[in-house]
């Protein structure tokens, strides 16, 4: 019989998800930069030298060490965004899930059965949290611009940009919400379905590191594939100069006209190979660390 998982404390959720975010940034920020630059590229890459130029930009002809350092732009924004995002997403989804368990458990169970209902509540809670993630959009915008369009800053600091741009930093919020809702649904839903149907777990919080790793692979892969087209649109909206915005619908039209429908899946392969492991790493880590911190906090 499917039951609700054991509740962890709010502090454990914050500590576990923040730790996962910090470790993720330390390992994967250069990979994220490469993925964003590939998604922002509008030309066809047909040679290794072109790929080198797209990835390393101004440092393409520099020694390897300098090229690698160029993959760490916007680290301050990235760290702030990623840690807040992981705390909000991984720490917040259990609260949304508990709300659904408390108020709508019988509705889900009657409509889908207990096991599927439990997994779908987890997925729906993830979707709700994913939509609310647009609150953090300014930090994401600044991170992406640092990675793909640093000239947009023109020497301005964080507070100056906030003052100058204001709500312009929320440009593309609708497309971000449209990408996050199905993406987060697939992430938490795929994870829950794997734990329910592949691993046969009754309490998801009791999963081992290996079980969390397996379920996170399923969830992360589903999330990246589902959200890929909207992620390309979102990235292209956000990486443009502040004074030269372009609507999402204009980007869709121009992309279809100039690059074809396959352009909406640009960067998917490197994302599955690079962002995929990053998401699996942080998601599995958060799911493992939160119960661990809960035991520490509660003195077990």
């Amino acid at each position: 019989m499917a039951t609700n998982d054991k509740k962890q404390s709010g502090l454990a959720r914050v500590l576990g998800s923040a730790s996962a975010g910090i470790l993720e940034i330390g390992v994967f920020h250069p990979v994220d930069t490469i993925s964003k630059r590939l998604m922002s590229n509008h030309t066809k890459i047909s040679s290794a030298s072109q790929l080198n130029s797209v990835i390393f930009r101004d440092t393409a002809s520099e020694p390897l060490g300098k090229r690698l350092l160029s993959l760490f732009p916007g680290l301050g924004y990235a760290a702030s965004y990623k840690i807040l995002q992981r705390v909000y997403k991984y720490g917040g989804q259990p609260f949304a899930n508990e709300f659904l368990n408390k108020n709508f458990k019988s509705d889900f169970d009657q409509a889908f059965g207990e096991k599927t209902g439990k997994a779908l509540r987890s997925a729906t809670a993830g979707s709700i949290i994913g939509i609310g993630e647009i609150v953090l959009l300014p930090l994401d915008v600044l991170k992406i611009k640092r990675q793909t369009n640093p000239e947009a800053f023109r020497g301005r600091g964080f507070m100056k940009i906030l003052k100058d741009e204001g709500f312009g930093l929320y440009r593309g919020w609708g497309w971000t919400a449209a990408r996050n809702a199905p993406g987060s649904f697939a992430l938490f839903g795929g994870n829950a379905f794997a734990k329910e149907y592949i691993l046969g777990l009754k309490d998801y919080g009791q999963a081992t590191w290996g079980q969390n790793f397996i379920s996170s692979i399923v969830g992360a892969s589903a999330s990246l594939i589902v959200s890929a087209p909207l992620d390309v649109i979102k990235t292209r909206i956000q990486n443009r100069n502040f004074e030269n915005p372009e609507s999402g619908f204009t980007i869709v039209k121009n992309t279809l006209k100039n690059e074809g429908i396959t352009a909406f899946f640009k960067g998917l392969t490197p994302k599955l190979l690079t962002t995929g492991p990053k998401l699996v790493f942080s998601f599995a880590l958060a799911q493992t660390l939160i119960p661990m911190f809960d035991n520490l906090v509660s003195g077990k």
Side-chain angles (χ1 to χ4, degrees), residues 66 81-82 120 172 248:
K66 196 163 184 178
Y81 170 69
K82 190 56 65 180
L120 284 174

Side-chain angles (χ1 to χ4, degrees), residues 105-127:
K105 183 178 186 298
S106 60
D107 298 318
F108 277 85
D109 289 351
Q110 286 172 15
F112 306 104
E114 287 192 356
K115 290 177 73 173
T116 304
K118 181 181 178 183
L120 284 174
R121 285 195 300 278
S122 183
T124 303
S127 189

Side-chain angles (χ1 to χ4, degrees), residues 23-298:
L23 289 168
E24 179 187 346
I25 277 290
V27 175
F28 288 103
H29 185 66
V31 166
D32 185 51
T33 298
I34 291 170
S35 179
K36 289 294 186 293
R37 288 177 178 175
L38 286 169
M39 281 193 289
S40 299
N41 174 55
H42 292 261
T43 61
K44 186 176 181 180
I45 298 172
S46 56
S47 69
S49 63
Q50 280 182 302
L51 180 64
N52 182 58
S53 296
V54 169
I55 292 174
F56 296 109
R57 303 204 163 182
D58 294 341
T59 61
S61 59
E62 299 288 343
L64 179 61
K66 196 163 184 178
R67 276 185 286 163
L68 292 177
L69 285 175
S70 75
L71 298 177
F72 284 89
L75 187 57
Y77 297 120
S80 302
Y81 170 69
K82 190 56 65 180
I83 293 166
L84 285 171
Q85 182 202 38
R86 292 321 191 201
V87 168
Y88 170 78
K89 193 166 192 168
Y90 297 157
Q93 187 269 351
F95 288 105
N97 197 32
E98 285 164 13
F99 173 81
L100 293 176
N101 284 333
K102 183 178 179 181
N103 296 283
F104 300 101
K105 183 178 186 298
S106 60
D107 298 318
F108 277 85
D109 289 351
Q110 286 172 15
F112 306 104
E114 287 192 356
K115 290 177 73 173
T116 304
K118 181 181 178 183
L120 284 174
R121 285 195 300 278
S122 183
T124 303
S127 189
I128 293 168
I129 289 294
I131 293 170
E133 206 176 312
I134 59 174
V135 171
L136 302 175
L137 196 58
L139 286 171
D140 190 24
V141 170
L142 295 175
K143 173 182 78 77
I144 289 174
K145 286 192 195 301
R146 276 292 190 194
Q147 289 172 310
T148 63
N149 189 14
E151 59 271 16
F153 285 78
R154 296 192 180 89
R156 292 183 296 173
F158 179 64
M159 295 310 296
K160 175 66 172 169
I161 289 173
L162 284 183
K163 181 181 177 182
D164 290 348
E165 305 304 330
F167 285 103
L169 292 172
Y170 280 94
R171 189 175 296 123
W173 68 267
W175 292 95
T176 301
R179 164 231 190 202
N180 286 357
S184 294
F185 184 94
L187 173 67
F188 288 98
N191 178 71
F193 272 95
K195 286 183 174 177
E196 194 70 54
Y197 288 100
I198 298 174
L199 302 171
L201 294 172
K202 299 299 180 187
D203 183 346
Y204 299 168
Q206 297 302 308
T208 64
W209 161 254
Q211 290 171 326
N212 281 327
F213 185 74
I214 291 167
S215 64
S216 295
I217 289 174
V218 176
S221 299
S223 178
L224 291 173
I225 293 167
V226 164
S227 62
L230 286 159
D231 202 28
V232 171
I233 298 167
K234 166 186 165 288
T235 297
R236 290 186 175 189
I237 289 171
Q238 292 176 333
N239 69 10
R240 298 180 68 81
N241 286 337
F242 288 107
E243 70 276 6
N244 186 29
E246 193 172 49
S247 75
F249 289 107
T250 302
I251 287 172
V252 170
K253 183 180 71 175
N254 291 338
T255 300
L256 282 171
K257 179 183 175 183
N258 300 323
E259 301 170 66
I261 197 166
T262 56
F264 292 110
F265 291 91
K266 273 189 175 181
L268 179 58
T269 300
K271 276 185 80 175
L272 286 169
L273 295 174
T274 56
T275 306
K278 177 180 71 170
L279 189 54
V280 169
F281 174 84
S282 66
F283 195 24
L285 202 57
Q287 291 178 89
T288 304
L289 290 176
I290 288 172
M292 193 182 299
F293 275 113
D294 189 56
N295 290 335
L296 287 172
V297 170
S298 59

